[in-house]
Amino acid sequence: MIKLFMMNGPDRGKALKHEDDTLYVGRSDENQIQIRDKSVSRKHLKIIKKGNAYVIEDLGSTNGTFINDKPVMPGKPYTVQGGVPVGVGNIFFSLGRKCSGDILAIKDFIDLSGDLSSTGLFNRPGTSPKNLEFIYKVTNALMESFRINEILEMVLDYIFDLFKRIDRGAIILLDSETGEISEVISRATEAREKSTKPFSQTIVKRVIKERKAITMTDTLDEESTDLSNSMEIMKIRSVMCVPLISRSQVRGVVYVDSVGKPYGFRNEDLSLLTALSSPAAIAIENALLYSDLEKIVEERTRSLKKTESKLRESEARFKAIFDNMSSGVVVYGAQQDGQDFKILDFNSSNQKIEKVKKKGLIGKNVSEAFPEFMGNGLVDVFRRVWRTGKPERCSVTLQRDGDTTNWREYYVYRLPSKEIVAIFDDITDKKKAEEEQKALQQQLLVSQKMESIGAFAGGTAHNFRNILQAISGNIEYIETLYGDQPEVKELANDVYDSVEKGVDLINNLLHFSRRGGGYQVADLDLAEVITKTCEIIDRVFNKNINIQVDLQDGLFVEGNQSLLSQVFMNLFSNARDAMPDGGTLSVEAKRHKNKIVAKVSDTGYGMDKGTMEKIFDPFFTLKDVGKGTGLGLSTTHGIIEEHKGSISVSSKAGAGTTFKIVLPFSEPSKQEKQEPQKQIVFGKGQKILIVDDERATLEALTHLTNSLGYSVSSFGEPREALKNYTKLAPDLVLMDRSMPEMDGVACINEIMKTDRKAKIIIVSGYEESGPDGIDDEVKGQIKGYLTKPCGIEELSLTLAEALKGG
């Protein structure tokens, strides 16, 4: 027979018995002894009686079986004596005879360090005197350290030594500003080392919020609202958590739990842990304060070591000025009754800004250390502030070797000791940024002006070329009729020269406005270019200007004669304007190795440095409104650069100006120049359609084309030409580009719709390439492009080439 003496639960005080020597205990009806408690598994425990002893075996229960409150391994038989308490879930009973202990003591006190014996459960000593002595020792030990990690580890050591049944322990610290968890230090027994969560967040948050300790001897006895799913997952059965409170503020919590075992802690344990938490909280706060203090001390110590030797004498006097100043600060003492000032001290920002060191400057007067201060008005500010005691703000420019290098913004005031303090900032970058912005605005203005000039130049060139086309075309036509008469031949040559000069004028205008195409270069003797230009100015300049020329022979360069002539004409004109009362204009040019060096000098009123820096800028002029465009020297500069040369200027106010031009020397070609002979290709009666809205140009082109042996039909309006195109069926079309009602490109598109094989040549006052050029699509539709004015030779060759191949 087996008897079970129930110590708690629904059958408390009863003796349940079974006649056989083997029985099963569990919650289901199939067990010989049925215990209806949720902590007991359906088939929980097997008991076999052997003499006066009992063999028990846990059948893989959920909440475990405990002998003398020590958990047993499922499936392994254990032998116990009568009277030893056995726990299944939350239910306790003894076998054979009643247990001598009290169930309340079992639930409040658990000691896992003893063996499975009848005396191990209730042999723990009392608490008061011994524990008080323990708390005293702990308090003294904690107060001996100021290192936070050492204290936390020490607290955990004491906890694990004190409470034998805990599986895990953690100290959770809170951030003093946010109240959020900032640090967690945890520990677990070997059996629980692999636990991923060291504490129950639900319990911890509750303790922090309520500022009260919480203990749960068995979580299965607690209301479900007080628990969380994670506690069930982690199988937490016993919990203690106490707040760490110091100076009425929760600094954190101490948390311990027992996993899988109920009744891990008793009320005295909670009292002991609470008592331990007070000195722990104080020690932790002291350690944190000490840690913060250490950081502050370390930071202050580093700062003091760097400046200690330099600031020892003036630290007390100027601490408020020097601390954390990003601006430069200098302290001056008045000398010679405020006429000069001695440098007493300055901060590191001053060293960085002015690039100076204290050694060698402290004790020196401003007049000696910074003589530039004497002339920029800064010392005058020092004198006024020292005399009146009224602070002043000022901006100064520091000039060294005559160059503007830096800008400073100062605030100057007087101390009660009558020493002067100057606080300043380097505003050089700010000033430079303002100047760069102003320069960018000026560049934008110049760009806009150049764009306007370019548009004007393009339109002017187009119209002027139409006029030149009419002149050159008609004179060539006259020459074909009456060329055998000498007076006609001479007149034609004069007209050709004038047309060529007009073309050069247009090309130079387009070149300046950057809207023209390339220009022709040739081997030139710069001496001849200068000589011819000097012959022109000699006739037009006032006789009170003495022109002196010193030119070496053989100054060969590769360039454009018209453009280089314009360069020297611009320089000569500027020299004349600089000598309104007369003077000397000197021109010299010599070869130096592989360079040609030319100088143009005058004895005029000269220029200062600021003016010299701007003279090559477009639209900059010192002349009165209406007397200068400001384009001459910028054009000159551009021409010289395009000839792979350089131009520079030297001048002094009242002492004249010299421009120096350097060009690469170029060996001239040894081939003798031969007068080119006109190559004219005549037509064979092919039909040519000419479309141009300028009547004179249209007539000139018509005359020239007729004289070449072609059959010509001409129209001044594109739409009239389109109406007659099919009827005329021309072999080739000469098309003007710019016309009022319909431009040439639009007319070409309409012709191509009618006749995909049409042969068309554009004849225009605009360039084929460049800003006013045509795009690739139009180029693909035409057979050639002639820029007005075009002569009979160029016209004949272009027509013949376009008509080639049928």
Side-chain angles (χ1 to χ4, degrees), residues 576-731:
R576 175 197 60 190
D577 296 339
M579 301 182 291
D581 299 325
T584 300
L585 169 62
S586 302
V587 186
E588 67 175 66
K590 297 180 180 179
R591 177 182 173 185
H592 294 278
K593 297 182 179 179
N594 60 342
K595 301 288 184 182
I596 303 297
V597 179
K599 294 182 180 179
V600 178
S601 304
D602 64 65
T603 57
Y605 45 67
M607 296 175 286
D608 58 25
K609 186 173 182 180
T611 302
M612 285 193 293
E613 290 176 350
K614 299 178 181 179
I615 58 171
F616 293 116
D617 295 344
F619 308 107
F620 175 78
T621 180
L622 297 175
K623 298 175 183 177
D624 295 336
V625 177
K627 294 186 178 181
T629 64
L631 297 175
L633 287 178
S634 65
T635 302
T636 297
H637 186 274
I639 293 172
I640 293 300
E641 281 195 337
E642 290 183 356
H643 281 74
K644 300 179 182 178
S646 63
I647 181 170
S648 59
V649 60
S650 60
S651 183
K652 191 174 181 180
T657 301
T658 298
F659 285 91
K660 178 181 177 182
I661 297 173
V662 179
L663 294 170
F665 174 78
S666 176
E667 289 286 353
S669 175
K670 295 183 179 180
Q671 288 185 335
E672 294 184 4
K673 295 183 179 179
Q674 297 180 353
E675 192 68 27
Q677 298 294 324
K678 284 186 178 181
Q679 297 180 2
I680 299 175
V681 180
F682 290 92
K684 299 178 182 179
Q686 293 97 327
K687 291 183 286 184
I688 307 296
L689 174 62
I690 304 178
V691 185
D692 198 311
D693 66 315
E694 292 288 341
R695 184 188 59 80
T697 303
L698 181 63
E699 290 180 357
L701 284 173
T702 301
H703 291 323
L704 282 180
T705 309
N706 273 324
S707 68
L708 290 172
Y710 296 100
S711 175
V712 180
S713 298
S714 57
F715 292 92
E717 295 182 359
R719 299 191 188 280
E720 287 297 321
L722 288 173
K723 289 179 182 178
N724 292 278
Y725 182 83
T726 303
K727 180 175 65 176
L728 293 173
D731 296 299

Side-chain angles (χ1 to χ4, degrees), residues 7 14 24 31 277 301 307 429 613 675 730 772 797:
M7 301 175 69
K14 294 181 180 181
Y24 290 88
N31 298 284
S277 69
T301 302
T307 58
D429 292 341
E613 290 176 350
E675 192 68 27
D772 295 319
L797 293 173

Side-chain angles (χ1 to χ4, degrees), residues 513-528:
S513 63
R514 297 180 178 89
R515 298 182 75 89
Y519 53 85
Q520 292 183 345
V521 296
D523 291 334
L524 302 173
D525 187 343
L526 193 63
E528 292 181 5

Side-chain angles (χ1 to χ4, degrees), residues 301-466:
T301 302
R302 284 195 298 269
S303 177
L304 288 173
K305 284 182 177 179
K306 290 181 180 177
T307 58
E308 185 178 19
S309 61
K310 300 177 182 178
L311 302 177
R312 186 178 293 113
E313 294 180 1
S314 59
E315 180 181 3
R317 182 177 54 191
F318 297 118
K319 189 175 186 304
I321 299 174
F322 281 80
D323 283 351
N324 302 316
M325 290 288 288
S326 60
S327 302
V329 183
V330 187
V331 183
Y332 300 96
Q335 300 289 308
Q336 304 170 16
D337 196 23
Q339 293 305 304
D340 204 348
F341 294 86
K342 181 191 293 184
I343 300 172
L344 300 179
D345 203 356
F346 53 81
N347 67 353
S348 57
S349 292
N350 178 72
Q351 296 183 68
K352 294 177 183 177
I353 295 172
E354 298 294 1
K355 295 182 175 63
V356 295
K357 293 183 178 181
K358 282 192 174 182
K359 186 178 180 180
L361 281 182
I362 299 297
K364 283 190 176 182
N365 288 348
V366 172
S367 57
E368 179 185 0
F370 300 105
E372 61 267 28
F373 287 6
M374 306 300 292
N376 62 10
L378 184 58
V379 173
D380 293 334
V381 174
F382 290 175
R383 292 167 180 166
R384 285 197 301 271
V385 172
W386 180 79
R387 187 174 62 254
T388 65
K390 296 180 180 180
E392 287 192 28
R393 295 184 182 275
C394 63
S395 297
V396 299
T397 302
L398 301 183
Q399 291 185 334
R400 295 183 176 117
D401 299 327
D403 295 332
T404 299
T405 56
N406 291 286
W407 290 265
R408 303 282 188 267
E409 197 166 69
Y410 274 85
Y411 176 69
V412 184
Y413 66 92
R414 191 182 73 185
L415 293 173
S417 61
K418 283 201 169 185
E419 293 165 337
I420 297 298
V421 178
I423 303 175
F424 68 94
D425 289 298
D426 184 358
I427 58 172
T428 302
D429 292 341
K430 178 182 175 183
K431 284 286 188 181
K432 287 182 178 179
E434 290 174 354
E435 290 184 350
E436 288 175 1
Q437 184 178 12
K438 186 182 292 185
L440 288 174
Q441 291 174 344
Q442 183 65 28
Q443 289 178 7
L444 178 60
L445 179 62
V446 169
S447 177
Q448 291 171 341
K449 288 181 179 180
M450 292 299 294
E451 186 176 352
S452 299
I453 290 175
F456 169 76
T460 300
H462 169 264
N463 294 330
F464 197 35
R465 280 172 170 166
N466 276 324

